[in-house]
Amino acid sequence: MAEPNPALHLKALRRKAQRVLWWERAWEPLRWPLLLVAFYVLACLARIPQSLPDWLHTLLEAGVLGTALWLTITGLRRVPPVSISVADRRIEHDSKLAYQPLLSLTDRPAFAGNGEQSAIWSRHVERVTASLGTLRVGLPHPEASLHERLALLAVPLAIVVAAVLGGTHTPSRLHAGLLPGVDDDSIPLPTLQAWIDRPSYAPGAPIFLSATGHTTLDVPQGAILNATITGAHGKPALHGIASPEQNRLDAESWNSHGTLQQSGTISIVVRGRTLGSWRVKVEPDLPPTVTWDGKPGPQKDDWRTGLPWHVHQTYGVASLEAEINLPGLTRGRILHVPIPLDGQPKDAKGVATPDLSSDPFAGMEVEGRLHARSVSGRESRSDIVKFQIAARKFTDPLARALVALRRRLMLGQQRASQAAAELNLLTQTTDERAILAALGLEIASLQKDAPDGSADRVPGELWALALYLDDLRRDGPDIADAAAEVRAAQQGVQQQLDHMRDLGDKGHTLPEQEELQRRTQALKDALNRRMQLLFARAAQSGIVMPQSGTSSADPFSDEMRRLQSEANQGHGDEALRRLQQMEDMAERMRQARPEDLKALAEQMKAQAEARAQRAALHDLVHRETTLLDHTQSRLSAAQKAAAPPDDGSRRDVSQMSTADLLRQLGMQPPPGMEQPTDAKPPAPVDPDTVAAQSDGRRADHALQRALQRVNDILSHRVKDLTGKPATAFDKAKTDMQTAREALADRKDAEAQTAEQKVLADLSEAGKQMRQNQKSGGSGKGGQGGGSLSFIPSGGAGSSGQPQHGAKGQQGDDGDQPQAGDEDGDDDDQKDQDPLGRKLGEGDKGKDSDAHIPDKSARDRARDIERELRRRASDRTRPQSELDYLERLLKSF
């Protein structure tokens, strides 16, 4: 390694010595600013500046630090520079060199002389430099008195002691002392109450926030964060939200809120301290996804157009419509067809079947797309598809001509004057005065001098006239007049429903409801008159029409009442859907042929047979229940007579299984409930009591035999009607035979079990019978389970036709109640236990609300209830049993 250059080393030492000497000289002007700053730090640790108002805190800090800065600058300016000679003396002193050898390095000979003398002097300087040895410069050690040195030790020691006493609050105290408007950790945090309100399009409970959230919150876009801060001495700041709003409630209370539009971290800060921080993931409110779920087009053998649709949106779809236009049409007319939805679905599909046969686009190739609007107002449209709109088929030539003229007029392909001239020519094709009068009115409405608005009514009047002409040609004047009356009444109800829906809450006033009632009554009367004419025509054809299965005097009263109820309750869409169903029935009446009437008659007969079978089954269950009551009464009396007087029922209850306790209450235990492995023998019975009950047992045996015969007959009739057997009747027959044998052998306990199985079998048979009738069959009834074409089914308000709205848009009837279900099966079952028995007690099975059980029965029932509650709280029992007991005891 090469030797360092002594000259360069000495030069570096001189610079270091100059710096050390400068700092020693600067200590005197710097000690007072440093002492001032140290005292301010001590004040911060003692929380003196923080206790002052912010403005005074700011002035104090500015004064202290400003004074220290001014003293520093002015003092440093007075510090003289350090010369090289003074630096050499410091090097000589710190290196402990004698005789000041560094003077030789800066000295010069008095007489430089010639070159030989200069060389000799240079050689002398080299020798001195080489003899210097190791040179060094010590640290600065300014001159200070004893008092100054004591103060120099005391002030840092005081700062250290204050920092130790402050503990974990020391950093926050220094931070708050140096930054006015910031509190340290010694000040209690303000009270924070924060929550997130979901937007209106995604209703739900608010999300309440804790001070610190460790999990990410999923919220919909547009949710609002609300925060109420109490006890704050400054204005809070809401970070992570664009354009938050701050409202001051009082001197120390604030309300902050902002809309969440993007994911991130949200925090609330007051005077430099974070009150709460949360990670939020915002779920974007995307436009709905709407597509065609198939090929739109005419329905088979129908005048309606099928519009298959599928829509999806995370928070729900508020409205859906089809926008249909005719390609190449200069006027650019767009037909908006609303598609009813079941509420505000998030994901739904269906097939809307609106009646577009009256539109001028009917029968033409059109373009259409779906337009969906979400509950939040976002919109989207589907792809455009081409399809054909269904059209009605008119048999009357004049009707076809009027429909074609009406289409050209509505599409702007013909002027009003041209349409009037063509109508004038059409008047020469008929001699009917009523038709001529109607055509004359239309011609007058299309004239230039006609009143305002007259021409706008012409398309609707031409359509009604075309329908009337077609009815007149096919059915004659009476039926044509009745059909026109039905259409006018339907239009009146439609207008009133639209009017009430447009009025909103004001549409439910008493005058509006009375007007709707008046119009629905007119529609009901028109439908009844049309039905009478239909049945009269059937009678002329030799077809006997049985009575419909409705519960009221006419087949349309229930439907009208439901329509009025839905409209009055604000369910306008449901009311319009029901009106549409009635329009379908009216149209099927209009198009009914003799073979349709014959099929309807067969269908009504099948419905009557189905009602008779359900009534027979109901009577069979009732009589079997009576037998079970008799058997239980005899068994209870025989066991009571054989029991010792001191036999405690409470002890019996605790020793019985849960399944046996339920049977004591007359309830069938659920499948899978544990059965006791060591089944105890039945309770003993008194032989004398059993013998005394022979007469009643003999009568029950005879009744059971008769019921078995009725069961066989009913099973065959069900199979003949639907073409499908109800296998549960066979099980009931077997159990009835077991019950007969037990009664013959005086074994009431076995008879009771068999009769309970019979009731369960009959209940299952009823379900199978109803399912077979709904699904139809190939028996004698034909479509005995199907719906009637012209008459609304009773009981559930179904029109018997596939609904063209959101409910039932799949093109089938689903599991709708059928006509003739008004026999009250549900009402009869409301007061029955799971075995079909009437609730209550009694020997004859004729309990009423006035019947009061005897004291012993009430006490035993209470004992059983207490035991069931005890077992429900025993967590060692099987979970399935605990779940069943919890559901059971909720009703008590």
Side-chain angles (χ1 to χ4, degrees):
M1 184 176 179
E3 291 289 335
N5 191 337
L8 294 177
H9 180 60
L10 179 61
K11 186 177 181 181
L13 283 177
R14 282 174 174 171
R15 288 196 299 268
K16 183 178 180 181
Q18 286 177 328
R19 291 194 297 269
V20 169
L21 290 172
W22 187 89
W23 278 110
E24 290 179 351
R25 294 178 181 180
W27 167 249
E28 183 175 357
L30 286 178
R31 58 185 177 179
W32 296 112
L34 291 176
L35 184 62
L36 188 60
V37 172
F39 281 144
Y40 186 77
V41 171
L42 282 174
C44 291
L45 293 176
R47 301 189 64 255
I48 295 175
Q50 297 94 308
S51 62
L52 301 175
D54 289 343
W55 65 271
L56 187 56
H57 182 182
T58 304
L59 290 179
L60 175 62
E61 184 175 352
V64 171
L65 298 182
T67 301
L69 181 62
W70 178 76
L71 291 176
T72 300
I73 294 175
T74 56
L76 293 178
R77 285 179 177 177
R78 294 197 298 268
V79 176
V82 180
S83 63
I84 294 179
S85 60
V86 175
D88 288 344
R89 301 292 79 76
R90 182 59 178 265
I91 295 173
E92 293 170 349
H93 178 270
D94 291 346
S95 302
K96 297 181 180 181
L97 299 177
Y99 310 111
Q100 298 181 348
L102 297 181
L103 287 175
S104 300
L105 303 180
T106 58
D107 199 4
R108 296 289 184 272
F111 301 98
N114 54 22
E116 184 179 356
Q117 293 177 341
S118 298
I120 294 173
W121 181 256
S122 298
R123 182 65 179 167
H124 171 71
V125 170
E126 292 176 357
R127 288 179 179 178
V128 171
T129 303
S131 65
L132 291 177
T134 303
L135 300 178
R136 67 184 184 85
V137 177
L139 296 175
H141 48 85
E143 296 182 0
S145 63
L146 179 61
H147 296 87
E148 291 177 344
R149 292 183 178 181
L150 292 176
L152 185 63
L153 294 175
V155 171
L157 181 61
I159 293 177
V160 171
V161 171
V164 172
L165 293 178
T168 57
H169 298 300
T170 298
S172 67
R173 289 183 179 182
L174 292 175
H175 181 257
L178 295 175
L179 292 178
V182 175
D183 289 337
D184 58 68
D185 293 343
S186 302
I187 302 296
L189 280 172
T191 302
L192 172 66
Q193 293 181 346
W195 68 95
I196 295 177
D197 288 328
R198 299 173 66 87
S200 58
Y201 65 82
I207 303 174
F208 292 93
L209 307 176
S210 58
T212 55
H214 302 289
T215 60
T216 301
L217 302 174
D218 294 330
V219 297
Q221 183 178 3
I224 299 177
L225 173 68
N226 295 276
T228 301
I229 301 98
T230 306
H233 300 288
K235 184 178 180 179
L238 188 58
H239 300 292
I241 296 181
S243 304
E245 297 184 10
Q246 308 276 0
N247 298 321
R248 189 163 191 166
L249 305 179
D250 54 36
E252 297 184 350
S253 299
W254 295 80
N255 176 262
S256 303
H257 57 275
T259 303
L260 304 178
Q261 297 292 350
Q262 59 184 5
S263 303
T265 300
I266 301 172
S267 60
I268 299 178
V269 179
V270 178
R271 295 184 63 82
R273 304 169 70 191
T274 301
L275 300 185
S277 179
W278 309 277
R279 294 191 303 273
V280 176
K281 179 182 178 182
V282 176
E283 299 178 0
D285 177 27
L286 300 176
T289 302
V290 57
T291 58
W292 292 101
D293 196 38
K295 175 68 174 178
Q299 297 289 287
K300 183 179 179 181
D301 298 331
D302 201 354
W303 64 95
R304 293 187 176 274
T305 303
L307 303 176
W309 53 269
H310 182 201
V311 67
H312 169 77
Q313 212 275 343
T314 305
Y315 303 108
V317 180
S319 64
L320 178 66
E321 68 174 7
E323 298 176 345
I324 302 173
N325 66 285
L326 186 65
L329 188 63
T330 56
R331 293 177 57 183
R333 177 180 182 268
I334 297 179
L335 173 62
H336 297 271
V337 182
I339 298 177
L341 298 173
D342 188 6
Q344 296 177 342
K346 298 180 180 179
D347 190 356
K349 62 173 59 177
V351 180
T353 54
D355 181 9
L356 305 180
S357 59
S358 62
D359 192 83
F361 290 164
M364 306 179 69
E365 190 78 13
V366 297
E367 293 180 348
R369 62 180 178 180
L370 297 171
H371 174 207
R373 182 190 300 272
S374 68
V375 293
S376 59
R378 304 296 299 273
E379 300 181 14
S380 66
R381 288 175 169 84
S382 68
D383 296 335
I384 296 177
V385 298
K386 292 185 177 181
F387 59 95
Q388 185 179 7
I389 295 182
R392 293 178 185 265
K393 298 179 180 179
F394 291 89
T395 59
D396 185 77
L398 180 56
R400 291 198 298 267
L402 291 177
V403 171
L405 184 149
R406 172 180 176 270
R407 174 183 298 166
R408 294 192 298 271
L409 182 62
M410 294 182 67
L411 296 181
Q413 299 172 351
Q414 193 173 32
R415 293 193 299 271
S417 58
Q418 295 174 334
E422 186 172 345
L423 284 175
N424 192 21
L425 293 175
L426 291 177
T427 57
Q428 301 177 12
T429 62
T430 180
D431 296 331
E432 293 288 340
R433 292 186 178 182
I435 304 302
L436 291 174
L439 292 176
L441 290 175
E442 307 306 330
I443 294 173
S445 299
L446 292 174
Q447 301 300 322
K448 294 183 178 180
D449 56 351
D452 295 338
S454 299
D456 297 336
R457 296 193 297 269
V458 169
E461 293 172 353
L462 288 178
W463 179 256
L465 182 58
L467 292 175
Y468 179 80
L469 286 170
D470 206 54
D471 292 339
L472 184 64
R473 181 182 182 89
R474 185 179 58 248
D475 301 323
D478 292 337
I479 293 181
D481 292 340
E485 184 182 358
V486 170
R487 286 192 294 270
Q490 287 173 345
Q491 185 177 5
V493 174
Q494 176 80 49
Q495 293 174 352
Q496 180 63 16
L497 291 176
D498 293 339
H499 176 66
M500 294 175 65
R501 185 172 57 178
D502 294 340
L503 291 178
D505 294 338
K506 296 181 180 179
H508 307 312
T509 59
L510 183 59
E512 297 295 339
Q513 295 179 10
E514 291 178 347
E515 178 62 21
L516 177 62
Q517 182 179 4
R518 185 186 66 80
R519 297 193 181 194
T520 53
Q521 180 64 35
L523 176 58
K524 184 184 71 172
D525 295 341
L527 288 171
N528 284 331
R529 181 169 178 269
R530 181 68 180 87
M531 181 67 70
Q532 292 172 3
L533 293 174
L534 181 70
F535 281 14
R537 191 175 68 175
Q540 293 174 1
S541 302
I543 303 173
V544 179
M545 303 295 294
Q547 293 294 326
S548 64
T550 55
S551 57
S552 52
D554 59 81
F556 302 103
S557 295
D558 292 341
E559 288 294 305
M560 294 301 172
R561 280 196 298 269
R562 294 187 185 98
L563 187 149
Q564 293 179 38
S565 176
E566 290 166 353
N568 294 336
Q569 294 174 7
H571 303 156
D573 292 338
E574 292 294 331
L576 290 174
R577 188 177 295 122
R578 193 173 297 278
L579 178 62
Q580 187 183 67
Q581 296 168 6
M582 302 186 71
E583 291 175 355
D584 292 345
M585 288 187 293
E587 183 62 25
R588 288 185 174 87
M589 289 184 197
R590 193 179 75 87
Q591 297 182 357
R593 296 169 297 178
E595 52 268 27
D596 297 328
L597 295 176
K598 185 176 181 180
L600 175 61
E602 293 295 331
Q603 199 172 18
M604 295 175 67
K605 292 177 182 178
Q607 292 289 354
E609 173 65 17
R611 289 194 301 275
Q613 292 178 7
R614 287 193 290 273
L617 177 62
H618 183 272
D619 183 69
L620 182 60
V621 170
H622 174 71
R623 295 182 182 276
E624 189 67 34
T625 302
T626 303
L627 288 180
L628 179 59
D629 284 340
H630 294 173
T631 303
Q632 289 179 336
S633 178
R634 289 194 302 269
L635 183 61
S636 177
Q639 291 176 348
K640 187 176 181 180
D646 59 343
D647 182 54
S649 61
R650 186 179 304 275
R651 184 170 60 255
D652 286 344
V653 168
S654 63
Q655 296 174 358
M656 296 171 62
S657 68
T658 303
D660 289 338
L661 288 176
L662 296 176
R663 292 190 183 96
Q664 287 291 320
L665 292 176
M667 303 175 61
Q668 184 72 15
M673 178 169 286
E674 89 288 350
Q675 299 295 332
T677 56
D678 52 344
K680 297 182 179 180
V685 294
D686 181 43
D688 297 336
T689 305
V690 172
Q693 297 170 343
S694 298
D695 294 339
R697 195 176 293 107
R698 189 179 302 107
D700 288 350
H701 183 275
L703 179 58
Q704 185 67 81
R705 180 178 180 181
L707 295 181
Q708 185 175 353
R709 179 58 181 163
V710 172
N711 179 80
D712 294 341
I713 296 174
L714 184 57
S715 175
H716 288 95
R717 289 180 60 181
V718 169
K719 185 177 180 180
D720 292 341
L721 177 65
T722 63
K724 299 178 181 179
T727 57
F729 283 115
D730 297 334
K731 295 181 181 179
K733 178 180 179 180
T734 302
D735 292 330
M736 286 181 179
Q737 181 63 32
T738 303
R740 287 178 55 196
E741 294 174 356
L743 290 173
D745 296 337
R746 297 185 177 183
K747 298 178 180 179
D748 286 331
E750 297 180 8
Q752 173 185 257
T753 302
E755 289 165 356
Q756 289 173 344
K757 291 181 179 180
V758 170
L759 288 173
D761 295 337
L762 293 179
S763 177
E764 180 63 25
K767 295 179 182 179
Q768 295 177 359
M769 185 173 67
R770 285 190 293 271
Q771 184 63 34
N772 292 346
Q773 291 172 358
K774 287 179 181 180
S775 60
S778 57
K780 292 187 301 182
Q783 299 175 351
S787 57
L788 302 182
S789 299
F790 312 137
I791 304 176
S793 60
S798 172
S799 68
Q801 294 300 324
Q803 298 183 11
H804 299 285
K807 301 178 181 178
Q809 291 175 351
Q810 304 303 326
D812 54 20
D813 289 342
D815 195 18
Q816 297 293 335
Q818 301 300 319
D821 284 347
E822 75 283 358
D823 55 352
D825 289 343
D826 295 338
D827 294 337
D828 291 333
Q829 293 175 1
K830 287 191 299 184
D831 298 328
Q832 295 176 356
D833 62 18
L835 297 178
R837 300 179 56 201
K838 282 282 186 177
L839 295 178
E841 299 177 348
D843 295 338
K844 303 298 182 181
K846 297 180 180 179
D847 294 351
S848 66
D849 294 339
H851 176 73
I852 301 177
D854 57 24
K855 185 177 184 301
S856 62
R858 294 198 304 272
D859 292 342
R860 185 166 183 81
R862 281 193 292 267
D863 291 342
I864 294 176
E865 179 186 349
R866 282 193 291 267
E867 179 63 21
L868 289 176
R869 291 190 183 277
R870 186 191 67 79
R871 297 187 185 189
S873 61
D874 183 3
R875 312 317 294 178
T876 63
R877 306 187 75 84
Q879 186 62 40
S880 59
E881 179 180 335
L882 294 176
D883 294 340
Y884 179 79
L885 292 177
E886 181 180 358
R887 294 192 302 269
L888 175 67
L889 294 174
K890 281 182 179 180
S891 60
F892 287 90

